Amino acid sequence: MAIISVSNLTYQYAQSEAPAVNDVTFDVEAGDWVAIVGHNGSGKSTLAKLLIGILAADSGTIDIAGTRLTEASVWDVRETIGMVFQNPDNQFVGATVADDVAFGMENRHVSRDVMIRRVKEALLQVGMWEFRDREPARLSGGQKQRVALAGVMAVAPKILILDEATSMLDPEGRSDILNTIKTLKQKLNLTVLSITHDIDEAAQADRILVIDDGRFIEEATPQALFEHGSDLIAMGLDVPFSAKLTELLAQRGVAVPAHYLDEGSLADWLWKSRLTK
Amino acid sequence: MEISFDKVGFWYQPGTPFAFQALKDVSLTIPSGQFTAVIGHTGSGKSTLIQHLNALLKPTTGRVLIGDRTIDAKTSNKHLKPLRKTVGIVFQFPENQLFEETVLKDIAFGPQNFGVTSQAATEMAQQAAKQVGLADELLTRSPFELSGGQMRRVAIAGVLALRPDVLVLDEPTAGLDPRGRRDVMTLVTKLQREQQMTIVLITHQMDDVARYAQNVVVMAKGAVVKQGTPQTVFSDANWLADHQLALPSAAEFAAQLSQHGFHFDPLPLTEEALVAQLAPQLPLKGGQHNE
Amino acid sequence: MNNFMFGRYIPGNSWVHRLDPRAKLLLCFIYIGVVFFANNFWTYLLLTVVLLGSIILAAVPARIFIRGLRPLFWLLLFTVVIQIFFGAGGHVYWQWGVFSITHDGLVSAGLILMRFVLIILISTLLTFTTQPLAIADGIESLLNPLRKVHFPVATLALMLSLSLRFVPTLMDEATKIMNAQRSRGVDFGSGGLRQQIKTIVPILIPLFVNAFQRAVDISIAMEARGYRDGENRTKYRQLKWRSADTISLVGFVIMAGLVIALRQLT
Ligand SMILES: Nc1ncnc2c1ncn2[C@@H]1O[C@H](COP(=O)(O)OP(=O)(O)OP(=O)(O)O)[C@@H](O)[C@H]1O
Ligand SMILES: Nc1ncnc2c1ncn2[C@@H]1O[C@H](COP(=O)(O)OP(=O)(O)OP(=O)(O)O)[C@@H](O)[C@H]1O
Ligand SMILES: [Mg+2]
Ligand SMILES: [Mg+2]
């Protein structure tokens, strides 16, 4: 059974003329990695806030791990979902790294002995244990995001939602967080829902959902979606490097394959066709 | 206008237990009319460096030559204003500085501080808004009602309206979606190519450095560890890896292909350069052959 | 702004650094209370010796304490001058209209100065050696008895520690905004009052807008992580009262007793 099941979800902000999320329906299977992409203002963050019950839907339903999301069940649902936001500073509420990781557990009445153990486990998982006594002012953005991940992992959620969790980081911090998430997902069999503009992050997904003006307009594997080439820009994504290269080669009369190749397969193809020359 | 650093050292909070040397013996030249990129790992001192370009920070030791002005530790804080007009700085996340009721007023704020009449300032603002591609109907809106990418452009226009000779940008594409990033980079290169503006760009995007920069400054732990054309800076992959810097995607891919018998000389830094060298090494459509 | 040392924490691991924040808060209260009982040379001597001893145990260089006093210099000078000119009684050395310099005036100015300096130094010692968060924890723990009368101690403590957490972030932001506006030609600290007020607007509005957005983000993040106001929470951070804390507390109580005894000497 699907761990996230959304049907006919609609939400409109009070002051606005059109719904920010408009009749959205989708399922996510346990253990899947699903990316949600779309240009700025297409409704991605609104959808995420609906999923954890920070906003209440105008109509439609959300079921998380078999529980219908209602005003009464919202706190139980939040036990299942961990969320990492975009701005590294605005989700770091503890005075030190260890305090921040403990925050979610304190809210859930976890006893102190258990907290001490889980803070350590979680910080070791994200490679931040040496920094446990640091204040946020003395951490880089990427390090703060890893702490945010640790804080979420410490309460052992089944679902991880990332709302542009890497968009304010430098490329190094970005790939660093992405690798940490990949490892955690595998080890703990997490379900990941990542909202992103980053092509490398989207490429990690099993499936990509494209949202435009509050509606889902396409659902595809990364492989299939990347076939769109320069149209990807309109979906809030960049054109993959291999697609740019393929297009330029074609312009020079090289007989490149018509379908999308990722960097590895393009390198293989180039290497083989060189031999046929 | 040329700017040069002569053995500049800079300490944050000198004389306290928190004293920290953020720049060490920095000597460099930013050539007039060129596009200079400043790269380096997080915390290497890039933002500290650029705040010396219009004397927001003054060197603790050494001196900075900005056109015909010399700035050192003893320079008085008075009479620095003309510098702020010749060297315009767009800081990181510049949308955080917007405050006026309307977009147009916000853009006109800078010129007005330099004693331009409000009518002239408005004209300068309109022109700057056009340069960054802001539609006319947005000019009467509140800057706080705009999207992230639009706010970023308003902030850049606010600096452009000063008509600086040198435009300095600290990670202007950070946090924007790919379309926003592309728009900002197109704008910056246009300013340099069409108006011969001197551009200084801090960035983590090596592909942008390879594509647009004529001169690259590499910082590490407060010191300048390399300076030169993109071709020289990116020539040594091992050295870059030691300084936690990446190669541009094209160079990375070319290096990978070299291990499978392809030859590249010089190392291509952009997709176009890569394809130009790659195509002749491949068979053409319909069995034609390259010579 | 960066060179401002007053009220900052200086990391360290000295004997004083390691004391329980509750103990340090209590010691500080006792000391400040006792300062108001001091009335003669011997009492001040004792208080000064205790202070210097504590400063030595804290292993923070003396020049930093002096830097800490510097921003308060004008306040001190002002108080002293007022006391000198308006304190009356005893031998009159000099007089001009309502202004006079008298023996009693000089003495009381000296005492006030002494009290001021002692109080400032002991509080500076507290902030130099105690993390703001630990002070917040200490206050929460000392306020705990108020829970009985349904005072929201936990909420208050969380608010205090959150504000402390964001002080550096907001200061940083203020510096960034000031730099951005300077680059657009704003001249801070020059021109008349009207001009000065005008330069504050481009700082305050962005600062306020950003702080508000930040507050919204933070509250969403806290809610997503299961925070509910008014619900009981367990605590990760725990204070540990050790024998050193008891010893120093006993020491300070003895000092208080001595000061009260020494008062009789005049
Ligand atoms: N608090 C709010 N009040 C009113 N309208 C809002 C609010 N938050 C968002 N909106 C509007 O709802 C729409 C969807 O916004 P949302 O933040 O979900 O977009 P997004 O896809 O996350 O965009 P981005 O890529 O920029 O993060 C936008 O048109 C936005 O202007
Ligand atoms: N106001 C300050 N007080 C003390 N130290 C500072 C201050 N501002 C910056 N630093 C320190 O100076 C060093 C250089 O900082 P700077 O902001 O110039 O780096 P950067 O290269 O711009 O980094 P990034 O890529 O993260 O923007 C860092 O170690 C930083 O912690
Ligand atoms: Mg969003
Ligand atoms: Mg920087």
Side-chain angles (χ1 to χ4, degrees), chain C residues 123-222:
Chain C
S123 338
T124 311
L125 182 64
L126 175 72
T127 59
F128 275 1
T129 60
T130 322
Q131 287 185 1
L133 170 75
I135 297 184
D137 281 344
I139 292 175
E140 177 184 8
S141 173
L142 293 176
L143 288 181
N144 249 341
L146 290 180
R147 277 177 207 265
K148 291 220 177 65
V149 293
H150 299 290
F151 187 76
V153 176
T155 308
L156 201 74
L158 184 73
M159 273 166 54
L160 185 62
S161 100
L162 262 181
S163 344
L164 290 171
R165 142 80 183 91
F166 281 97
V167 165
T169 315
L170 289 178
M171 297 254 292
D172 225 42
E173 192 146 290
T175 314
K176 279 186 194 145
I177 293 172
M178 279 175 76
N179 276 337
Q181 306 302 26
R182 261 198 202 111
S183 296
R184 292 210 281 167
V186 176
D187 242 340
F188 296 108
S190 73
L193 188 64
R194 263 187 63 147
Q195 200 60 34
Q196 292 279 316
I197 290 172
K198 263 172 87 181
T199 64
I200 292 184
V201 176
I203 308 283
L204 278 191
I205 292 182
L207 202 57
F208 184 79
V209 169
N210 297 344
F212 184 78
Q213 187 53 50
R214 210 183 272 286
V216 171
D217 280 5
I218 294 166
S219 66
I220 289 178
M222 284 172 59

Side-chain angles (χ1 to χ4, degrees), chain A residues 40 171-172 234 253 271 274 277, chain B residues 41 177 179 204 260-261 280 285:
Chain A
N40 289 129
E172 198 185 336
W271 172 54
R274 180 178 162 273
K277 186 180 167 178
Chain B
H41 191 54
D177 69 1
R179 179 187 302 202
H204 287 290
H260 291 289
K285 255 187 200 137

Side-chain angles (χ1 to χ4, degrees), chain C residues 2-126:
Chain C
N2 273 328
N3 293 336
F4 203 66
M5 292 303 298
F6 185 70
R8 286 181 70 168
Y9 170 69
I10 298 173
N13 194 25
S14 71
W15 202 80
V16 182
H17 278 90
R18 287 197 307 266
L19 285 179
D20 188 294
R22 286 169 296 186
K24 280 190 269 192
L25 280 165
L26 288 174
L27 294 177
C28 210
F29 292 148
I30 294 176
Y31 191 93
I32 291 171
V34 171
V35 164
F36 288 100
F37 282 94
N39 65 344
N40 61 30
F41 174 76
W42 297 107
T43 49
Y44 280 108
L45 181 68
L46 178 62
L47 283 169
T48 310
V49 168
V50 170
L51 181 70
L52 289 180
S54 314
I55 289 180
I56 289 168
L57 283 175
V60 175
R63 75 186 153 79
I64 297 175
F65 276 89
I66 295 169
R67 286 186 74 117
L69 278 179
R70 217 186 285 164
L72 301 166
F73 177 78
W74 291 108
L75 182 67
L76 287 175
L77 191 74
F78 177 73
T79 328
V80 167
V81 167
I82 294 280
Q83 282 299 320
I84 290 180
F85 285 137
F86 295 103
H91 183 80
V92 178
Y93 299 112
W94 178 84
Q95 181 144 26
W96 184 74
V98 288
F99 301 103
S100 63
I101 297 182
T102 65
H103 174 78
D104 290 7
L106 281 181
V107 170
S108 70
L111 289 185
I112 291 264
L113 178 68
M114 194 69 195
R115 278 184 187 167
F116 244 132
V117 170
L118 289 178
I119 290 174
I120 292 167
L121 286 179
I122 195 84
S123 338
T124 311
L125 182 64
L126 175 72

Side-chain angles (χ1 to χ4, degrees), chain A residues 40-41 43-46 86 163-164 195 197:
Chain A
N40 289 129
K44 306 180 295 293
S45 299
T46 308
Q86 177 176 24
D163 189 354
E164 299 191 41
I195 294 170
H197 293 297

